[in-house]
Amino acid sequence: MKTDFSGFHKLGLNERLAILKKATGLSTREVNDLVNSGSLDIEIADIMIENVIGVMHTPMGIAVNFRVNGRDYLIPMCTEEPSVVAAASHAAKLALPSGFKAESDDPVMIGQIQLVGVRDFEKVKDIIMSKRDYILKAANNKDSVMLTLGGGAKDIEVRKVETERGVMAIVHVLVDVRDAMGANSVNTICETLSPYLEEITGARARLRIISNLAVYRKARATAVWRKEDLGEDVIEGILDAYHFALNDPFRCATNNKGVMNGIDAVLVATGNDFRAAEAGAHAYAALNGYKPLTKYEKDKKGNLVGSIELPLAVGLVGGATKTNPIARISLKILGVKSSKELAEIAACTGLANNFAALRAMIKEGIQKGHMKLHAKNIAIMAGAAGNNVYEIASRMIQESNISVSRAMELVKIYRRAGRKR
Ligand code: NAD
């Protein structure tokens, strides 16, 4: 992608769209679908969920400056929160020219079959493991498409879980779901296998469901932010902030929320199940006491090295990724070829958003930049409409007084002036 994206945020909507179209090869129809807020057809929405009565829209922005493994990406992000897209783009710019390095595991998900009424766990485990090959074959009878693509059930594990209601044998079926998020496919496999597991063990199968703690499907990313660009004090501040999160769950929750600001926005834009990613991320963070999903340290030259690791179950097919036309356009803008690549990009945005938030807090506090971007929302909250939204927002920024009370005063002033005109 050769187009220059510097100053993208200063352009008007039509100019931004023209640049995007040129860079990504979107058709005129796709561009129209993006800007036409009615492009998720009510008939399609009615197919997607139950009791449909309408469609709720979320703004989509493009994060720029992302270079990942040497390739430049434009990243669609859907979020209602101001400053997420700007923060990601800014962090990515500071990481240039090297950008981010990212990698991910094969897309292997865990399906769980809960066996209760287990009298002798070791015996149950031995029986199941002795039938491993047959079980995998039976699992793979279900989804020929995934199998043709090189996916399917690859292994099984049997875990002992001791509970107040007795010992349970938990069978994990490890399924390579290729470019799907995988929940439906894995759940189907679990339901298919459970009668056979009951038959050979004499135990009772209860839950048969995917685990969102996708520990075999992690994505990782790193970036180096130079000492010359950040300054030593900011680097020391970010390290202090990281160690705060590492040792305090109250801070850590907010740190990880900032990480998910970036990741969720990419997942929403691509029609992915962000609750699944959230559950997996926080469960992973809590495996050994609740810890940050990101990590910061200094390299030998004193530069700041940031990294992230988390389970990321995302898909290019399945779920709503193909039903929602905007999700399809997002994937075209991204130009990713596999679920692995999408997970890597999402991990980079998580790291970028976390870094940007820490840097802002260390430098000037998070509110200065955030409130500037939020000023228009505050003006609307106070009752402003039309051009007044921009005028009231910029006046509050000029006055360094971005608050609902000031916005309400200004709405009254502008209304009075409007009546006199
Ligand atoms: P899916 O079943 O809709 O689609 C996956 C299917 O697509 C595969 O079975 C395969 O036959 C086919 N396919 C075509 N090309 C493929 C490719 N390149 N790679 C892989 N498969 C390909 O979707 P899914 O991903 O199995 O399930 C995702 C949905 O399940 C999401 O909407 C999610 O919200 C929902 N869900 C989630 C949970 C959870 O996370 N706990 C539980 C239940 C349902």
Side-chain angles (χ1 to χ4, degrees):
M1 194 195 316
K2 292 278 174 260
T3 316
D4 179 13
F5 283 87
S6 53
F8 190 68
H9 64 288
K10 293 184 192 142
L11 302 175
L13 177 62
N14 288 335
E15 292 167 298
R16 287 199 292 267
L17 286 167
I19 289 182
L20 180 72
K21 191 165 184 267
K22 190 169 158 216
T24 58
L26 288 187
S27 67
T28 305
R29 172 152 188 209
E30 285 166 327
V31 173
N32 287 342
D33 275 353
L34 276 178
V35 289
N36 170 12
S37 51
S39 48
L40 175 56
D41 226 67
I42 190 71
E43 276 86 27
I44 296 179
D46 201 19
I47 293 169
M48 289 170 76
I49 64 161
E50 312 75 40
N51 297 357
V52 164
I53 47 95
V55 176
M56 162 95 182
H57 305 289
T58 306
M60 179 191 287
I62 290 284
V64 294
N65 308 321
F66 273 84
R67 184 164 296 154
V68 181
N69 296 335
R71 190 187 144 191
D72 291 348
Y73 290 87
L74 291 175
I75 306 186
M77 298 178 93
C78 278
T79 178
E80 84 298 340
E81 187 171 345
S83 80
V84 170
V85 179
S89 304
H90 190 55
K93 188 173 185 179
L94 285 173
L96 290 173
S98 312
F100 298 80
K101 291 196 173 41
E103 52 151 32
S104 56
D105 302 326
D106 279 343
V108 173
M109 298 300 289
I110 301 170
Q112 295 193 296
I113 302 163
Q114 176 198 25
L115 296 177
V116 299
V118 173
R119 266 182 239 112
D120 182 344
F121 171 78
E122 290 306 327
K123 196 171 157 203
V124 164
K125 182 176 173 180
D126 286 348
I127 293 171
I128 295 172
M129 291 316 281
S130 71
K131 302 286 183 195
R132 175 186 173 277
D133 292 349
Y134 178 82
I135 292 170
L136 291 178
K137 212 169 152 205
N140 285 331
N141 269 338
K142 268 287 143 189
D143 196 333
S144 58
V145 174
M146 211 173 257
L147 213 59
T148 326
L149 296 165
K154 299 289 179 192
D155 209 347
I156 51 173
E157 300 169 337
V158 186
R159 291 173 51 239
K160 183 180 189 179
V161 175
E162 295 183 66
T163 80
E164 297 77 2
R165 291 176 63 84
V167 171
M168 297 174 186
I170 309 299
V171 183
H172 281 189
V173 190
L174 310 190
V175 187
D176 183 327
V177 296
R178 298 283 88 198
D179 291 321
M181 178 267 171
N184 287 325
S185 320
V186 170
N187 294 345
T188 306
I189 288 177
C190 290
E191 290 190 8
T192 308
L193 293 180
S194 61
Y196 178 68
L197 293 176
E198 286 185 322
E199 189 189 311
I200 59 173
T201 61
R204 171 103 193 261
R206 291 280 194 197
L207 300 191
R208 297 149 299 163
I209 184 90
I210 196 162
S211 168
N212 289 109
L213 180 50
V215 288
Y216 296 119
R217 195 181 188 180
K218 294 198 289 281
R220 289 165 283 272
T222 58
V224 178
W225 285 281
R226 282 177 307 270
K227 189 169 74 176
E228 301 83 84
D229 295 330
L230 297 189
E232 266 177 56
D233 193 50
V234 169
I235 292 180
E236 292 303 322
I238 290 177
L239 292 174
D240 284 340
Y242 165 59
H243 283 268
F244 179 13
L246 199 56
N247 291 285
D248 178 29
F250 291 91
R251 169 59 210 150
C252 192
T254 315
N255 181 82
N256 289 346
K257 189 273 180 184
V259 169
M260 298 314 286
N261 270 345
I263 293 176
D264 284 348
V266 178
L267 301 200
V268 175
T270 52
N272 269 285
D273 184 340
F274 63 94
R275 288 90 51 214
E278 284 276 346
H282 293 288
Y284 184 65
L287 271 181
N288 299 303
Y290 190 61
K291 298 290 178 214
L293 295 161
T294 45
K295 186 174 158 191
Y296 294 92
E297 58 201 345
K298 278 194 289 191
D299 68 10
K300 283 193 189 114
K301 293 181 190 151
N303 300 317
L304 183 74
V305 183
S307 55
I308 183 169
E309 179 181 79
L310 78 167
L312 261 180
V314 295
L316 305 185
V317 294
T321 53
K322 290 277 185 269
T323 341
N324 190 325
I326 303 298
R328 287 202 300 266
I329 296 173
S330 292
L331 286 175
K332 185 164 175 186
I333 293 171
L334 270 167
V336 290
K337 298 278 181 290
S338 66
S339 64
K340 266 166 71 70
E341 194 181 352
L342 178 58
E344 289 163 14
I345 300 298
C348 292
T349 58
L351 176 59
N353 276 96
N354 178 240
F355 164 81
L358 295 180
R359 178 177 169 273
M361 285 188 288
I362 294 305
K363 275 177 80 87
E364 54 190 17
I366 200 123
Q367 283 307 81
K368 194 172 167 211
H370 184 81
M371 289 306 277
K372 255 191 195 173
L373 294 167
H374 190 45
K376 291 194 278 287
N377 286 337
I378 292 199
I380 292 171
M381 214 191 301
N387 278 344
N388 283 357
V389 174
Y390 292 91
E391 286 169 15
I392 291 174
S394 45
R395 189 145 159 200
M396 288 193 295
I397 292 167
Q398 261 171 24
E399 294 171 353
S400 300
N401 180 8
I402 304 168
S403 64
V404 178
S405 54
R406 181 60 184 145
M408 285 165 84
E409 286 166 10
L410 289 169
V411 166
K412 277 188 203 150
I413 294 168
Y414 277 77
R415 276 199 193 134
R416 253 182 263 132
R419 274 199 293 274
K420 276 185 198 151
R421 257 186 248 132

